[in-house]
Amino acid sequence: MASLVNIKGPDMGSCYPIADSGLFNVGRDEKCNIQICDPRVSRQHLQISSAPDGAGHQISEYRTANGTEVNNNRITGQILLSDGDSIRIGDTTLVYTTDEYPDAETAMTEAKKKGEWKNPTLLGD
């Protein structure tokens, strides 16, 4: 089972399981499957669904004012998520992981490790 792990922002340390099938709404609204208590996140900010081939998940946003970034690139349509992808909404950073963890602390540690390989490195001036 995949997970979203909150590594930065309000609710930091939270881990949200994502089933292999179905549609998951993410936003500030309490009716969302995954509620993010960040004032810069829209009530209904984005959705995550199973990929068409059934392998993994895809993400799309609801055309929000503050937008959604995956790996520091603003998304405008639906994109396939990869293990370790960083998702920024408002002041919150989530990491998508294809693994399941026993607790939020372990999930956060592993998500940070996975996300590191996707971060650009600045070489000396």
Side-chain angles (χ1 to χ4, degrees):
M1 180 182 298
S3 302
L4 284 180
V5 182
N6 187 329
I7 64 164
K8 181 181 176 195
D11 304 322
M12 185 172 81
S14 299
C15 182
Y16 311 99
I18 309 259
D20 293 335
S21 63
L23 177 69
F24 299 87
N25 292 312
V26 179
R28 210 176 61 240
D29 195 302
E30 63 186 32
K31 294 178 184 172
C32 288
N33 303 96
I34 298 173
Q35 184 182 25
I36 306 293
C37 297
D38 179 338
R40 293 192 59 226
V41 170
S42 296
R43 287 188 304 274
Q44 297 236 344
H45 200 99
L46 62 89
Q47 68 179 12
I48 295 176
S49 58
S50 355
D53 62 3
H57 294 89
Q58 56 191 13
I59 185 174
S60 59
E61 74 148 8
Y62 291 115
R63 298 182 188 187
T64 62
N66 291 324
T68 300
E69 291 183 3
V70 174
N71 299 327
N72 298 317
N73 296 306
R74 188 160 181 165
I75 64 170
T76 56
Q78 205 167 52
I79 65 164
L80 189 61
L81 289 169
S82 297
D83 193 35
D85 278 350
S86 172
I87 303 165
R88 190 177 65 74
I89 56 175
D91 293 324
T92 297
T93 302
L94 305 165
V95 172
Y96 172 78
T97 177
T98 56
D99 297 322
E100 188 173 352
Y101 299 101
D103 56 59
E105 184 177 340
T106 303
M108 191 161 133
T109 300
E110 292 302 314
K112 283 183 177 180
K113 285 180 192 174
K114 286 183 179 201
E116 285 175 2
W117 71 270
K118 295 202 179 221
N119 290 337
T121 303
L122 297 176
L123 300 176
D125 295 25

